[in-house]
Amino acid sequence: MELIFLGTSAGVPTRTRNVTAMLLNLQHPTRAGLWLFDCGEGTQHQMLRTAFHPGKLDKIFITHLHGDHLFGLPGLLCSRSMAGNVRPLDIYGPQGIREFVETTLRLSGSWTDYPLTIHEITAGPVVDDGLRKVTAYLLAHPVECYGYRIEEHDKPGALDAAALAAAGVAPGPLFQKLKAGETVALEDGRTLCGTDYLAPAEPGKKLAIFGDTSPCPASLELAHGVDLLVHEATLESAMEEKANSRGHSSTRQAAQLALNAGVGRLVITHLSSRYDEKGSQAVLAECQSLFAQTTLAEDFALVHI
């Protein structure tokens, strides 16, 4: 998987940062996909500056209904339709997302020529396509807001072809059954169990994408043990009380969560527009003083997972 940041500013865009949106490119050899997390104003303009097109989107996940995470959605949906795209699209978000989409389309005399399904979610399982699952966690913000945990299912271990050859099994149809862990009967009457010839399963990658939140109990469970944590760091530690009063986190709180949750890497985003380039680096330094494996998201940054 790879994550492409389309917007990294909190509340309003700046000259160098658009408001929140992230693309998750699912680079699976047989079932690739493109998922969008949040869709702030101007998201489709940001996509024009990448190799990705709205027509390739399979799913859109909205964390909450504040405008800096949502106001780009109607335009993107309409442009996708005007381009003649017929690929189905699913939208997931808090209660109210259906009303928002349907009302904006109706009042603007717009429509979609592709199948559009809107799912209003609650905390718990959201998607499982057989390769990966998405779980929503309710966070602490003035409006209903979720974080999403994306987990690949573990991949079966490699088949020990050398051991099978030594057992007199030639490559062929039986290999597929053994790879699936099945027990097969050989022509000479022997039976072989596939699990005896499989290496340990390869753990799937785990990613946590947070919506806006002040520290809350669900955060630790959402972030626990992920390879990559994407978390807001709206304000510096000196402004922590102000951040929390508005349902946001400080740099220190984001880094402390990464440390407590045992994550592999932390990417901070959703920075207040008060921070210029120098201020942004100071914000990053505050996080790194607690959690060294922290990077600062910039618009169009690409992170491999």
Side-chain angles (χ1 to χ4, degrees):
M1 297 185 287
E2 62 180 16
L3 190 64
I4 303 95
F5 288 87
L6 300 178
T8 56
S9 179
V12 297
T14 72
R15 291 182 181 273
T16 58
R17 294 179 182 272
N18 199 48
V19 284
T20 300
M22 287 163 268
L23 282 172
L24 182 62
N25 185 17
L26 304 167
Q27 299 174 304
H28 191 273
T30 61
R31 202 186 308 173
L34 189 64
W35 295 356
L36 177 67
F37 289 81
D38 283 336
C39 190
E41 179 185 358
T43 292
Q44 66 170 320
H45 294 266
Q46 297 290 89
M47 288 189 73
L48 290 172
R49 298 175 60 185
T50 72
F52 302 98
H53 187 276
K56 298 294 186 181
L57 288 170
D58 301 298
K59 302 182 187 301
I60 299 176
F61 297 87
I62 301 297
T63 60
H64 63 295
L65 303 186
H66 277 159
D68 59 326
H69 296 252
L70 182 65
F71 284 169
L73 187 57
L76 184 147
L77 295 178
C78 293
S79 294
R80 192 178 188 273
S81 186
M82 293 176 70
N85 194 278
V86 296
R87 186 187 186 106
L89 179 65
D90 288 270
I91 299 175
Y92 303 84
Q95 184 173 355
I97 185 65
R98 177 178 289 108
E99 181 181 0
F100 175 81
V101 171
E102 292 178 349
T103 300
T104 52
L105 293 179
R106 176 174 55 83
L107 292 178
S108 63
S110 305
W111 62 89
T112 60
D113 287 330
Y114 50 84
L116 176 64
T117 306
I118 302 172
H119 309 262
E120 294 193 327
I121 68 169
T122 56
V126 174
V127 171
D128 191 332
D129 65 4
L131 294 177
R132 58 194 74 86
K133 64 179 181 179
V134 180
T135 308
Y137 290 78
L138 183 63
L139 301 176
H141 201 54
V143 299
E144 184 180 358
C145 182
Y146 292 95
Y148 294 102
R149 182 181 175 99
I150 303 96
E151 300 174 273
E152 291 181 332
H153 294 304
D154 292 347
K155 300 175 180 64
L159 194 63
D160 190 341
L164 286 170
V169 183
L174 289 183
F175 269 43
Q176 292 300 318
K177 293 183 178 182
L178 292 166
K179 175 73 172 176
E182 297 179 19
T183 297
V184 300
L186 304 182
E187 292 182 356
D188 60 9
R190 290 181 296 151
T191 59
L192 298 180
C193 180
T195 55
D196 294 336
Y197 295 88
L198 287 174
E202 179 185 346
K205 297 293 186 180
K206 299 178 178 63
L207 164 67
I209 296 177
F210 273 64
D212 295 355
T213 189
S214 56
C216 64
S219 294
L220 191 60
E221 185 179 358
L222 169 54
H224 178 70
V226 296
D227 298 284
L228 182 68
L229 167 62
V230 179
H231 199 287
E232 63 141 294
T234 304
L235 291 170
E236 61 198 277
S237 296
M239 303 182 72
E240 188 167 280
E241 184 176 351
K242 180 177 181 179
N244 294 169
S245 71
R246 298 181 178 181
H248 293 292
S249 297
S250 71
T251 50
R252 183 192 68 82
Q253 290 168 330
Q256 189 65 54
L257 174 63
L259 191 65
N260 293 346
V263 310
R265 291 179 290 161
L266 167 66
V267 178
I268 54 170
T269 185
H270 199 269
L271 269 64
S272 168
S273 59
R274 71 179 60 232
Y275 299 115
D276 57 13
E277 183 176 354
K278 181 178 179 181
S280 298
Q281 290 304 310
V283 164
L284 174 61
E286 282 196 348
C287 287
Q288 290 177 331
S289 68
L290 266 178
F291 190 77
Q293 293 75 38
T294 305
T295 56
L296 172 65
E298 304 280 358
D299 284 21
F300 307 111
L302 188 152
V303 179
H304 292 282
I305 305 158

